[in-house]
């Protein structure tokens, strides 16, 4: 794919890109085996492990977890009321979309207790090993502490497009808006009204500005990370894209990512670019 070559112009020391369509990598750039810190793209992996736990019956969405009145569903959708980086309650559950790393740590601890094993072990056994993600590991927090390579995340993206580890219905539920209508800040892009989210997956919907492309379906879901990484899936074209860099998210990414993703999507659907 010619469109992925644009990433070679990004002002980053290293970059790896993979585009997935119909279960296969159809475009790539850079070292597909190079391991990068994922930052908050980690949340997609953590969320998928929670889906497996739900599918197995070890965890239920409406089980009490976190602060009083909160459930697993609240924690995974950033509506439990926790602050961004500490388990300090700032709002009643279900009333605000407060993006929270702390909430994901509480979520991981809950799953760990339910499954009677360290969460990093459960994540490996439930997601990484079955998908052959041999270079991926959770080395820090469940919200932002994983590392991986483009090849591994391409395998994960293929799973999101055609689930094998959990049911299609569960992935559809997880990538649909929960607690709709809640406002909140999308880190790096400001206040969004509403700031729609699924069960661990950020939903594009009508957000503006946004880190995916201008022409993307409202059903597009994924996540980006402050380490300069992203993974999006646009179900309307059954395609996904992974981009990993080692330059911290900043104005460069805001400027570069949207036209890049629009170019990738245009090439996938056969639209003229430029």
């Amino acid at each position: 794919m010619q469109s992925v070559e644009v990433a070679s112009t990004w002002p980053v020391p290293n970059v790896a890109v993979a585009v997935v369509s119909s279960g296969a990598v159809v475009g790539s750039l850079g070292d597909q085996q190079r391991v990068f810190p994922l930052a908050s793209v980690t949340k997609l992996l953590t969320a998928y492990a929670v889906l497996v736990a739900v599918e197995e019956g070890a965890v239920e969405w409406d089980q009490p977890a976190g602060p009083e009145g909160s459930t697993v569903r609240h924690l995974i959708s950033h509506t439990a009321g926790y602050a961004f980086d500490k388990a300090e309650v700032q709002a009643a559950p279900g009333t605000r979309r407060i993006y929270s790393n702390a909430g994901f740590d509480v979520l991981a601890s809950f799953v760990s207790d339910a499954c009677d094993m360290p969460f990093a072990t459960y994540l490996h056994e439930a997601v990484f090993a079955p998908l052959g993600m041999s270079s991926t590991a959770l080395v820090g927090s469940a919200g932002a502490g994983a590392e991986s390579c483009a090849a591994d995340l391409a395998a994960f993206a293929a799973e999101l497009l055609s689930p094998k580890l959990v049911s299609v219905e569960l992935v559809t539920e997880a990538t649909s808006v929960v607690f709709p209508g809640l406002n909140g800040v999308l880190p790096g892009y400001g206040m969004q009204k509403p700031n729609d989210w699924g069960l661990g997956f950020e939903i594009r919907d009508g957000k503006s500005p946004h880190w995916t492309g201008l022409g993307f379906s409202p059903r597009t879901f994924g996540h980006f990370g402050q380490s300069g990484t992203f993974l999006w899936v646009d179900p309307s074209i059954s395609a996904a894209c992974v981009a990993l860099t080692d330059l911290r998210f900043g104005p460069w990414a805001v400027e570069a990512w949207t036209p890049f993703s629009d170019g990738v999507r245009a090439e996938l659907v056969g639209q003229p670019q430029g």
Side-chain angles (χ1 to χ4, degrees):
M1 293 183 66
Q2 292 183 348
S3 55
V4 301
E5 298 296 328
V6 173
S8 66
T9 68
W10 294 352
V12 300
N14 295 281
V15 60
V17 173
V19 179
V20 177
S21 180
S22 301
V25 175
V26 295
S28 64
L29 175 77
D31 184 352
Q32 300 293 290
Q33 303 300 325
R34 185 184 182 93
V35 173
F36 294 83
L38 299 184
S40 284
V41 173
T42 300
K43 291 182 176 70
L44 299 180
L45 305 175
T46 292
Y48 215 70
V50 177
L51 295 192
V52 174
V54 169
E55 188 97 330
E56 292 176 341
V59 170
E60 296 180 0
W61 291 125
D62 294 320
Q63 278 184 276
E68 184 176 356
S70 173
T71 65
V72 172
R73 192 187 307 273
H74 286 107
L75 287 171
I76 201 170
S77 62
H78 300 288
T79 59
Y82 280 134
F84 168 67
D85 58 355
K86 54 186 175 182
E88 175 185 286
V89 178
Q90 296 185 329
T95 62
R96 289 172 57 193
R97 188 87 63 188
I98 304 175
Y99 181 80
S100 178
N101 284 330
F104 261 67
D105 288 336
V106 174
L107 174 66
S109 179
F110 182 85
V111 174
S112 175
D113 290 343
C115 298
D116 196 28
M117 68 177 69
F119 184 74
T121 302
Y122 185 77
L123 179 55
H124 175 80
E125 294 186 1
V127 181
F128 302 160
L131 295 180
M133 299 170 65
S134 58
S135 296
T136 307
L138 183 64
V139 296
S141 77
E147 58 184 24
S148 187
C149 64
D152 279 12
L153 288 184
F156 179 65
E159 166 69 15
L160 294 175
L161 287 164
S162 182
K164 303 294 191 298
L165 303 184
V166 299
S167 68
V168 172
E169 292 77 14
L170 188 55
V171 173
T172 299
E173 180 184 4
T175 56
S176 301
V177 179
V178 293
F179 302 108
L182 297 183
N183 299 335
V185 174
L186 178 62
Y189 290 86
M191 176 62 71
Q192 303 289 327
K193 299 181 178 181
N195 188 20
D196 285 336
W197 225 275
L199 298 170
F201 297 82
E202 195 226 323
I203 312 297
R204 191 195 192 287
D205 211 346
K207 293 173 184 171
S208 180
H210 198 254
W211 55 275
T212 60
L214 298 176
F216 277 59
S217 161
R219 295 174 55 215
T220 299
F221 62 85
H223 222 293
F224 81 90
Q226 290 292 322
S227 56
T229 57
F230 70 72
L231 188 162
W232 56 250
V233 176
D234 188 343
S236 72
I237 58 171
S238 299
C241 181
V242 173
L244 304 177
T245 79
D246 48 10
L247 180 64
R248 185 171 176 80
F249 173 86
W252 76 267
V254 174
E255 180 179 342
W257 286 354
T258 295
F260 169 80
S261 291
D262 273 330
V264 169
R265 190 183 191 282
E267 187 172 358
L268 285 166
V269 301
Q271 294 177 346
Q273 301 178 57

